């Protein structure tokens, strides 16, 4: 792996990720046009931001709004690893998230919320670096932003569920059933349902206990099981149901079925 690596998905032009394993890499004063969220995986740094010096240790998240001047100086003689997401400003306008103004200052989070956000940032990074679907990547990103801005997002709450939500859940579910082999995006689901992607995800999860990408994945795996019984090749099925590559399909299948497609096919 290179010392500094960037990751992108052409279906998500608003998002870029960076992973750095270069211990002597310091950054002079600069700013980004994007909103940036970083997580220190190893080591620590002194982060200067708009005249204030922040100490950012292993496991801590720090974020910078667009155009805020900042600089980073990692500690000497310490292994330095971090990851960062860069999100274009225009993407946030689609969320219609009431608490979004809380992202306008750089901050470090208190312990409980920092842990929850760190876990979610890692999920988002894994989805992007492992070529997950655009639907899964963006859903994970929205859940990260929600945890960043909502002080109670890491608590398990049970909001009431009504007829209006049922209508939207059914619309989304029907679309996914009709197009589960496609590379569905939140932009598409937003147009189909007529509500913002932020509310779409929250309503769908309340109604089905799954985010849209996980629901789509179950449909794909169930279809794959039927096709394996028909003696079709694993590679052919992976392409047919829209997986990026065969290895990604095998991992997803094993997580749901408890066995690889090959083992499943041999037992039929």
């Amino acid at each position: 792996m290179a010392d500094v690596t960037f990751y992108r998905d052409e279906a998500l032009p608003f998002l870029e990720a960076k992973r750095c394993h270069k211990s002597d890499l310091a950054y002079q004063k600069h700013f980004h046009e994007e909103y940036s969220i970083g997580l220190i995986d190893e080591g620590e740094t002194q982060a200067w931001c708009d005249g204030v010096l922040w100490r950012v240790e292993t496991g801590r998240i720090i974020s910078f709004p667009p155009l805020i001047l900042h600089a980073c100086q990692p500690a000497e003689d310490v292994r330095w690893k971090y990851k960062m997401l860069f999100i274009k400003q225009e993407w946030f306008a689609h969320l219609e998230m009431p608490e979004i103004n809380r992202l306008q200052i750089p901050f470090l989070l208190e312990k409980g919320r920092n842990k929850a956000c760190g876990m979610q940032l890692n999920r988002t990074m894994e989805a992007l670096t492992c070529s997950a679907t655009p639907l899964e990547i963006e859903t994970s990103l929205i859940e990260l932003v929600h945890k960043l801005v909502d002080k109670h997002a890491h608590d398990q709450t049970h909001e009431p569920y009504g007829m209006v939500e049922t209508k939207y859940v059914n619309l989304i579910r029907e679309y996914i059933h009709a197009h589960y082999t496609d590379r569905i995006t939140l932009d598409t689901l937003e147009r189909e349902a007529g509500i913002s992607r932020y509310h779409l995800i929250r309503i769908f999860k309340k109604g089905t206990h799954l985010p849209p990408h996980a629901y789509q994945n179950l449909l794909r795996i169930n279809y794959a099981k039927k096709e394996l019984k028909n003696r079709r090749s694993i590679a052919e099925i992976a392409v047919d149901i829209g997986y990026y590559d065969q290895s990604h399909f095998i991992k997803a299948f094993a997580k749901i079925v408890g066995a690889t497609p090959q083992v499943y096919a041999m037992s039929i």
Side-chain angles (χ1 to χ4, degrees):
M1 179 182 293
D3 290 336
V4 180
T5 311
F6 292 88
Y7 303 91
R8 307 174 187 91
D9 188 303
E10 61 180 14
L12 306 172
F14 54 82
L15 177 64
E16 181 176 81
K18 176 182 181 181
R19 179 176 280 147
C20 177
H21 291 188
K22 193 171 183 180
S23 298
D24 61 349
L25 186 59
Y27 294 92
Q28 297 180 349
K29 291 177 182 177
H30 65 289
F31 59 74
H32 307 287
E33 295 186 358
E34 307 87 357
Y35 185 88
S36 53
I37 309 171
L39 172 64
I40 309 301
D41 290 316
E42 200 172 320
E44 66 176 65
T45 186
Q46 295 288 335
W48 180 94
C49 182
D50 204 22
V52 179
L53 197 62
W54 306 70
R55 183 185 176 202
V56 192
E57 308 100 325
T58 300
R60 296 301 300 275
I61 281 182
I62 189 168
S63 66
F64 303 105
L67 307 181
I68 290 289
L69 198 64
H70 61 281
C72 291
Q73 179 65 54
E76 293 184 7
D77 302 321
V78 175
R79 185 171 172 83
W80 165 240
K81 292 170 60 178
Y82 74 92
K83 57 176 69 80
M84 185 159 271
L85 301 175
F86 302 94
I87 312 164
K88 291 185 178 179
Q89 298 181 65
E90 54 266 29
W91 177 77
F92 291 98
H94 295 288
L95 295 187
E96 297 182 14
M97 187 184 292
E99 310 90 347
I100 203 70
N101 61 330
R102 294 182 188 163
L103 289 179
Q104 296 313 304
I105 58 172
F107 57 91
L108 295 170
L109 304 174
E110 65 273 15
K111 187 175 180 181
R113 202 146 59 101
N114 185 88
K115 182 178 179 181
C117 291
M119 290 173 64
Q120 190 61 46
L121 192 152
N122 282 327
R123 291 189 192 106
T124 305
M125 192 77 178
E126 182 180 5
L128 183 58
T129 58
C130 294
S131 303
T133 65
L135 182 59
E136 181 176 352
I137 297 167
E138 189 173 6
T139 297
S140 184
L141 180 64
I142 289 175
E143 290 178 342
L144 169 60
V145 172
H146 177 56
K147 291 180 187 297
L148 283 168
V149 301
D150 188 344
K151 293 182 179 180
H152 307 290
H154 61 286
D155 296 332
Q156 294 298 316
T157 58
H158 300 278
E159 301 175 14
Y161 184 72
M163 293 180 63
V164 175
E165 287 85 355
T166 301
K167 180 187 78 170
Y168 290 125
V169 169
N170 288 339
L171 279 172
I172 299 163
R173 185 156 40 196
E174 287 171 8
Y175 185 86
I176 296 174
H177 272 268
H179 300 275
Y180 66 87
T181 61
D182 299 341
R183 281 176 67 81
I184 300 172
T185 65
L186 278 176
D187 188 56
T188 301
L189 294 181
E190 189 177 65
R191 290 196 302 270
E192 288 294 320
I195 55 175
S196 75
R197 57 197 70 188
Y198 169 64
H199 293 293
L200 184 155
I201 290 172
R202 298 192 72 188
I203 288 171
F204 194 82
K205 285 183 72 174
K206 278 198 295 179
T208 67
H209 305 289
L210 289 171
H213 72 269
Y215 190 87
Q216 179 188 15
N217 192 52
L218 288 179
L219 295 179
R220 287 175 161 181
I221 298 304
N222 286 338
Y223 174 83
K225 289 166 67 177
K226 294 175 185 176
E227 295 304 294
L228 287 167
K229 291 175 184 177
N230 293 330
R231 306 298 180 183
R232 290 184 63 194
S233 75
I234 294 172
E236 188 178 40
I237 295 171
V239 172
D240 195 25
I241 57 180
Y243 277 96
Y244 182 78
D245 56 32
Q246 185 173 325
S247 64
H248 195 201
F249 164 58
I250 292 171
K251 290 177 182 178
F253 189 95
K255 285 180 180 180
I256 300 299
V257 181
T260 65
Q262 183 177 12
V263 169
Y264 183 82
M266 290 174 62
S267 65
I268 296 170

